[in-house]
Amino acid sequence: ELTQPPSVSVSPGQTARITCSGDALPKRYAYWYQQKSGQAPVLVIFEDDKQPSGIPERFSGSNSGAMATLTITGAQVEDEADYYCYSADSNGNHWVFGGGTKLTVL
Amino acid sequence: EVQLVESGGGLVQPGGSLRLSCAASGFTFSRNWMTWVRQAPGKGLEWVANIKQDGSEKYYVDSVRGRFTISRDNAKNSLFLQMDTLRAEDTAVYYCARDTVFWDSHTSAWYRGGGGIDFWGQGTMVTVSS
């Protein structure tokens, strides 16, 4: 199971941090997805801290202990979305999403 | 351009069956694990099942094991989800998704890496209702 806060709110230009806690995270990579209303999810961070091409540099990730964190440095209005963390169980065969965090930037 | 296009969704009665398909293009389909993810209306994402490149390994979330079957046809670049004994709680948008694969220049081989999803289709809606 992965646990995320239901909501995070920041003003434009501020730093938004979204956490994801889970017992298997010390042994497994974390992935982060952005989902805007009515759209399919988009990968924003993979393998804890790697950026896919085309993702703004303001998106970064970390994974320490049993907690992964998605950081948006200088959040923009267009970053408003639901964010989901994703990881495997301790055996690596079954996967789970966090419950999702609604980010509000206003 | 990478594309994943799902089809086969619709309205079905409880206890009925549906077969979802996903047509892949723009990449070498046989290199990647593939995954199905669903999202109930107004709810979060739920991992449903995944399948190894050659179909020799398949894993399911507990709530669908024994009712759903994931399969693939690499010759036709297609992924499938056979859904039987459907329940109202299976109502959701179903997404086809591609797992990561990376090129290792030292070994000259493709490898799965961490195994998460790097690309999603647009989804197909499944509604289970009488």
Side-chain angles (χ1 to χ4, degrees):
Chain A
E1 184 177 342
L2 299 175
T3 302
Q4 298 180 234
S7 63
V8 168
S9 182
V10 297
S11 299
Q14 287 188 328
T15 296
R17 293 182 179 85
I18 300 172
T19 58
C20 172
S21 61
D23 291 342
L25 284 176
K27 294 180 288 185
R28 297 294 169 195
Y29 285 121
Y31 296 74
W32 291 93
Y33 302 91
Q34 176 193 69
Q35 187 180 33
K36 295 184 178 180
S37 181
Q39 298 182 18
V42 171
L43 176 68
V44 294
I45 292 291
F46 68 99
E47 294 182 355
D48 294 339
D49 57 8
K50 300 179 178 63
Q51 275 186 338
S53 61
I55 299 301
E57 290 188 1
R58 62 180 179 271
F59 288 87
S60 63
S62 64
N63 186 358
S64 180
M67 182 170 289
T69 302
L70 173 68
T71 302
I72 308 173
T73 304
Q76 306 295 309
V77 173
E78 59 263 33
D79 298 332
E80 276 204 350
D82 293 324
Y83 290 86
Y84 294 90
C85 61
Y86 179 60
S87 189
D89 66 5
S90 55
N91 293 324
N93 293 328
H94 296 83
W95 290 75
V96 64
F97 287 93
T101 299
K102 182 176 182 60
L103 176 65
T104 302
V105 183
L106 53 75
Chain B
E1 179 191 7
V2 174
Q3 284 195 322
L4 296 170
V5 180
E6 302 93 337
S7 60
L11 175 64
V12 62
Q13 291 188 339
S17 298
L18 273 180
R19 180 177 170 85
L20 304 184
S21 300
C22 171
S25 61
F27 67 102
T28 304
F29 180 72
S30 59
R31 283 189 188 140
N32 298 74
W33 281 68
M34 296 294 294
T35 295
W36 286 99
V37 175
R38 67 184 179 183
Q39 186 170 34
K43 302 296 185 182
L45 301 171
E46 181 181 33
W47 176 83
V48 173
N50 65 1
I51 185 169
K52 194 176 180 179
Q53 294 96 326
D54 62 1
S56 62
E57 294 182 38
K58 306 173 185 182
Y59 300 97
Y60 301 89
V61 68
D62 287 348
S63 60
V64 309
R65 188 176 297 113
R67 300 188 298 123
F68 289 12
T69 303
I70 189 172
S71 62
R72 64 191 296 162
D73 184 339
N74 288 342
K76 296 183 178 180
N77 293 335
S78 295
L79 177 71
F80 306 100
L81 187 67
Q82 176 67 41
M83 303 186 297
D84 298 319
T85 320
L86 283 161
R87 306 167 179 167
E89 53 265 34
D90 296 319
T91 294
V93 173
Y94 284 73
Y95 293 102
C96 167
R98 182 185 75 173
D99 286 9
T100 58
V101 68
F102 303 99
W103 175 251
D104 187 336
S105 57
H106 298 291
T107 61
S108 297
W110 294 94
Y111 70 101
R112 188 183 182 197
I117 293 166
D118 70 349
F119 192 82
W120 302 67
Q122 288 302 306
T124 186
M125 183 70 203
V126 171
T127 303
V128 184
S129 175
S130 55

